[in-house]
């Protein structure tokens, strides 16, 4: 059995944790505490569950770029998307999606490694928690959390390594390897329908367990029933199961009111009223230059931000109404000069940016349309990382209701998101038909910009990525100014990595490139 495979799937990767001075995680490797100790009591199993939470913000594969969930958001959601721009022509292969067929690439392997590591840890807890000493309520809640982690991981993997539902021939196309226990044997490939059925089964069981106990989570970084509902809503939307998507999105955001304008402008680095699930981030748990915020936060001292700030495209920016507060979260170059070939700001535009945001790092090079949505709490890039918030759930309701031919409900959701929150006090929505769908897509692209949804949404919608070059009035240099059709790049589907296919003899059906 391959060493890497053992690392991903064995229960030995479960982390033992203890609370540290800041109330989070001080991880200890399992060679200091074996499985018997880990699963002896529910208190110990709870710290192991916290270890899975910690895995979501941990550096992997000896590379600064691979840091848990932040990497998925940045490298797989933002960089290759339609509305996100960064002047990194040397990263054209990743940004343009040319690694999808390269099953020996680290970029192809990383998400598989990362999410199956979460699954392996969750499987160990699911298999052993019932025998631990503790109350039935504690056991039920912890098992529900582990099931939620497993369903979330399968959902994220399916978006990357499986065809979109539109292309699946009603779920008969290839799905995932559904490892559901601690064994290290060979496993076959499921089909996509079976993969979604497993997500639903895990979430149904988790919701039943959550509902049967009075236990609650102590923090925003641990899963609970609202997180299970949110995972269900996103998975169902991907599955085009619109009734379930609308139902569970509404349940997920109950108790998580949409944030105020003040909170919206606070930097997306600390939990607000609408954060359903996030990962902890503080100075004592810093990934330094490897964190999501060291790549993203406008005020970061990291070179990845100072030299190449992250920007919205002018095509999306120009669609933001002038009465919308989200327009203020990007550097509008109107009336100023900047280098058209890259976006680099002139001295006057740079000075304007610093007037608007004095906390911009003094060594930073501002760019036209750079983002001021996401900031860091501490340097070089410390912040809490959001995974689900109520605004996404409202948008899921809008999209699901549109396809359920409930246009009034879809319109109502958009008004709630935009006007009722004060994000655009003058917002109205009277659009119908395809115009309404375009409106939903527009506000999803705007509302969730920079949070790792861009590429995933374009794939799910079966829409082409269209990046206009600077010569054509856009923001992209020639190396990144591409039109990428849904049928290209193995239908935007990453191939199962060689590290799996070389050692799992149960795989006899694999996705084929176009």
């Amino acid at each position: 059995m391959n060493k890497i495979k053992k690392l991903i799937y064995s229960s030995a990767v479960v982390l033992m944790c203890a609370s540290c001075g800041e109330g989070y995680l001080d991880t200890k490797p399992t060679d200091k505490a074996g499985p018997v100790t880990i699963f002896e009591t529910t208190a110990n199993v709870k710290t192991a569950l916290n270890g899975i939470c910690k895995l979501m913000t941990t550096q992997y594969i000896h590379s600064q770029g691979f840091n848990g969930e932040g990497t998925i958001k940045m490298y797989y959601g933002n960089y290759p998307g339609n509305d996100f721009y960064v002047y990194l022509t040397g990263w054209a292969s990743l940004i343009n999606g040319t690694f999808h067929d390269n099953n020996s690439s680290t970029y192809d392997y990383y998400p598989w490694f990362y999410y199956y590591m979460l699954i392996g840890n969750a499987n160990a807890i699911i298999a052993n928690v019932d025998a631990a000493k503790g109350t039935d309520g504690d056991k039920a809640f912890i098992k529900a959390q582990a099931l939620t982690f497993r369903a979330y991981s399968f959902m994220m993997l399916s978006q990357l390594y499986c065809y979109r539902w539109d292309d699946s021939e009603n779920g008969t196309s290839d799905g995932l390897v559904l490892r559901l226990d601690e064994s290290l044997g060979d496993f076959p490939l499921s089909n996509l329908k079976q993969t979604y059925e497993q997500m639903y089964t895990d979430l149904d069981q988790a919701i039943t367990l959550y509902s049967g106990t009075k236990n609650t989570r102590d923090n925003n970084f641990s899963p609970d029933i609202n997180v299970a509902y949110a995972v269900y809503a996103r998975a169902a939307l991907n599955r085009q199961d619109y009734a379930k998507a609308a139902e569970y999105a509404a349940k997920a955001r109950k108790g998580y009111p949409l944030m105020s304008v003040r909170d919206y402008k606070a930097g997306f680095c600390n939990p607000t009223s609408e954060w359903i699930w996030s990962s902890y981030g503080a100075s004592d748990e810093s990934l330094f230059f490897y964190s999501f915020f060291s790549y993203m936060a406008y005020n970061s001292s990291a070179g990845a931000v100072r030299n190449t700030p992250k920007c919205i495209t002018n095509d999306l920016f120009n669609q933001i109404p002038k009465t919308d507060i989200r327009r203020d979260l990007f550097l509008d170059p109107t009336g100023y000069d900047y280098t058209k070939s890259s976006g680099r700001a002139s001295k006057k535009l740079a000075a304007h940016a610093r007037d608007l945001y004095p906390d911009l790092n003094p060594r930073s090079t501002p760019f036209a349309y750079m983002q001021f949505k996401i900031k860091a709490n501490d340097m070089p890039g410390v912040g809490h990382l959001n995974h689900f918030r109520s605004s996404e759930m409202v948008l899921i309701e809008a999209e699901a209701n549109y396809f359920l031919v409930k246009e009034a409900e879809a319109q109502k959701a958009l008004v709630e998101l935009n006007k009722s929150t004060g994000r655009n006090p003058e917002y109205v929505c009277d659009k119908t038909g395809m115009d309404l769908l375009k409106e939903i897509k527009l506000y999803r692209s705007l509302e969730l910009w920079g949070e790792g949804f861009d590429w995933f949404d374009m794939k799910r919608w079966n829409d082409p990525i269209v990046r206009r070059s600077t010569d054509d009035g856009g923001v992209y240099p020639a190396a990144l100014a591409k039109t990428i059709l849904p049928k290209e790049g193995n239908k935007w589907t990453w191939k199962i990595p060689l590290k799996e296919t070389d050692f799992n003899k149960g795989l006899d059906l694999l996705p084929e490139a176009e």
Side-chain angles (χ1 to χ4, degrees):
M1 184 63 65
N2 176 264
K3 181 179 179 181
I4 294 292
K5 190 173 178 182
K6 286 185 178 180
L7 173 64
I8 299 176
Y9 302 123
S10 173
S11 64
V13 298
V14 175
L15 295 177
M16 279 297 292
C17 313
S19 296
C20 65
E22 296 298 323
Y24 189 50
L25 307 172
D26 178 19
T27 60
K28 295 181 174 64
T30 54
D31 58 2
K32 303 292 179 62
V36 174
T37 302
I38 293 171
F39 300 114
E40 185 175 8
T41 68
T42 52
N44 287 353
V45 182
K46 182 178 179 180
T47 56
L49 191 287
N50 284 350
I52 305 181
C53 300
K54 177 60 177 175
L55 290 175
M56 299 180 80
T57 53
T58 299
Q59 183 187 357
Y60 300 106
I61 319 183
H62 308 295
S63 169
Q64 67 181 36
F66 298 108
N67 54 51
E69 206 68 19
T71 295
I72 302 298
K73 296 179 188 297
M74 187 61 73
Y75 287 4
Y76 299 85
N78 288 342
Y79 276 11
N82 192 65
D83 302 308
F84 189 95
Y85 169 63
V86 57
Y87 188 61
L88 284 175
T89 55
W91 286 62
S93 295
L94 180 65
I95 292 171
N96 294 337
T98 60
F99 281 125
H100 293 163
D101 290 330
N102 187 351
N103 59 1
S104 63
S105 166
T106 304
Y107 294 108
D108 180 61
Y109 166 58
Y110 172 72
W112 192 272
F113 160 82
Y114 167 62
Y115 284 117
Y116 274 108
M117 180 168 55
L118 299 188
I119 290 166
N121 281 271
N123 286 343
I125 292 174
I126 293 165
N128 292 283
V129 67
D130 287 342
K133 295 177 183 178
T135 67
D136 289 342
D138 286 346
K139 294 177 186 179
F141 194 80
I142 293 169
K143 180 180 279 190
Q145 290 179 301
L147 287 162
T148 304
F149 263 117
R150 188 165 76 183
Y152 173 74
S153 299
F154 281 139
M155 179 195 69
M156 295 301 292
L157 284 165
S158 69
Q159 293 180 100
L160 290 159
Y161 295 97
C162 302
Y163 286 166
R164 57 181 71 83
W165 189 260
D166 267 354
D167 295 322
S168 73
E169 297 183 3
N170 200 33
T172 59
S173 64
D174 292 320
L176 299 173
V177 177
L178 296 177
R179 284 185 166 85
L180 306 177
D181 56 34
E182 298 179 273
S183 64
L184 298 175
D186 296 323
F187 285 81
L189 198 67
S190 71
N191 64 35
L192 190 56
K193 182 179 180 181
Q194 292 167 332
T195 298
Y196 276 104
E197 287 174 347
Q198 185 60 53
M199 293 180 218
Y200 284 15
T201 296
D202 282 352
L203 292 167
D204 286 337
Q205 185 181 359
I207 291 166
T208 298
L209 290 169
Y210 284 129
S211 300
T213 177
K214 295 181 180 180
N215 291 43
T216 58
R217 66 179 179 179
D218 301 323
N219 46 66
N220 195 258
F221 59 76
S222 297
D224 67 356
I225 193 168
N226 290 80
V227 176
Y229 289 146
V231 176
Y232 219 138
R234 195 187 290 178
L237 188 69
N238 294 338
R239 164 67 177 76
Q240 297 182 340
D241 188 353
Y242 296 120
K244 273 190 169 65
E247 174 190 357
Y248 286 108
K251 290 181 177 180
R253 67 187 183 98
K254 186 176 182 180
Y256 291 87
L258 299 178
M259 70 177 107
S260 66
V261 169
R262 179 180 179 180
D263 285 343
Y264 204 95
K265 292 183 174 182
F268 282 76
C269 51
N270 295 301
T272 70
S273 62
E274 70 170 65
W275 282 33
I276 299 169
W277 190 31
S278 64
S279 285
Y280 179 87
S283 299
D284 63 334
E285 294 285 341
S286 175
L287 283 173
F288 300 100
F289 295 101
Y290 312 147
S291 76
F292 172 83
F293 293 92
S294 292
Y295 281 78
M296 185 71 177
Y298 72 84
N299 63 331
S300 172
S301 61
V305 172
R306 289 187 291 103
N307 300 322
T308 53
K310 308 311 181 280
C311 307
I312 193 172
T313 62
N314 59 343
D315 287 330
L316 181 56
F317 178 81
N318 289 334
Q319 294 182 73
I320 307 174
K322 293 185 178 179
T323 54
D324 196 310
I325 60 103
R326 287 164 292 201
R327 189 179 178 93
D328 298 333
L329 301 180
F330 304 95
L331 182 58
D332 184 353
T334 303
Y336 296 90
D337 293 327
Y338 63 95
T339 304
K340 295 297 190 295
S341 60
S342 65
R344 192 183 305 272
S346 63
K347 288 184 178 180
K348 288 185 178 180
L349 181 57
H352 177 57
R354 298 184 193 285
D355 287 341
L356 293 173
Y357 288 89
D359 57 342
L360 184 63
N361 188 277
R363 294 186 295 160
S364 291
T365 302
F367 275 52
Y369 304 108
M370 71 176 289
Q371 71 89 21
F372 295 104
K373 174 181 177 179
I374 297 171
K375 67 182 291 184
N377 287 323
D378 199 0
M379 296 301 113
V382 175
H384 300 266
L385 186 62
N386 177 261
H387 307 313
F388 288 95
R389 56 189 183 93
S390 293
S391 289
E392 180 198 351
M393 297 300 111
V394 174
L395 287 159
I396 288 176
E397 289 180 65
E399 188 171 339
N401 281 318
Y402 170 83
F403 285 106
L404 291 169
V405 198
K406 297 180 179 179
E407 290 191 344
E409 292 300 311
Q411 294 167 343
K412 180 180 177 182
L414 290 177
V415 170
E416 179 182 0
L417 176 69
N418 297 306
K419 182 175 182 177
S420 300
T421 59
R423 292 170 199 179
N424 183 358
E426 297 184 17
Y427 181 81
V428 295
C429 184
D430 55 6
K431 293 181 171 64
T432 60
M434 287 301 298
D435 288 339
L436 177 56
L437 180 58
K438 290 178 182 177
E439 184 85 344
I440 292 167
K441 290 181 178 182
L442 169 63
Y443 278 93
R444 187 173 172 96
S445 298
L446 171 57
E447 175 64 30
L448 302 178
W449 185 93
E451 298 179 53
F453 290 90
D454 194 341
W455 179 87
F456 291 103
D457 282 342
M458 298 301 290
K459 178 177 178 178
R460 176 171 54 80
W461 289 329
N462 215 0
D463 285 348
I465 285 173
V466 180
R467 305 198 198 111
R468 289 196 303 143
S469 71
T470 54
D471 291 338
D472 191 32
V475 296
Y476 292 98
L480 306 178
K482 304 294 181 181
T483 294
I484 307 173
L485 301 177
K487 67 180 181 180
E488 296 176 2
N490 193 32
K491 298 181 179 179
W492 299 15
T493 302
W494 292 81
K495 284 198 169 183
I496 295 177
L498 279 177
K499 289 183 184 292
E500 177 72 36
T501 59
D502 281 353
F503 296 97
N504 181 359
K505 303 308 179 185
L507 294 176
D508 55 359
L509 292 174
L510 295 175
E512 296 182 357
E514 279 284 295

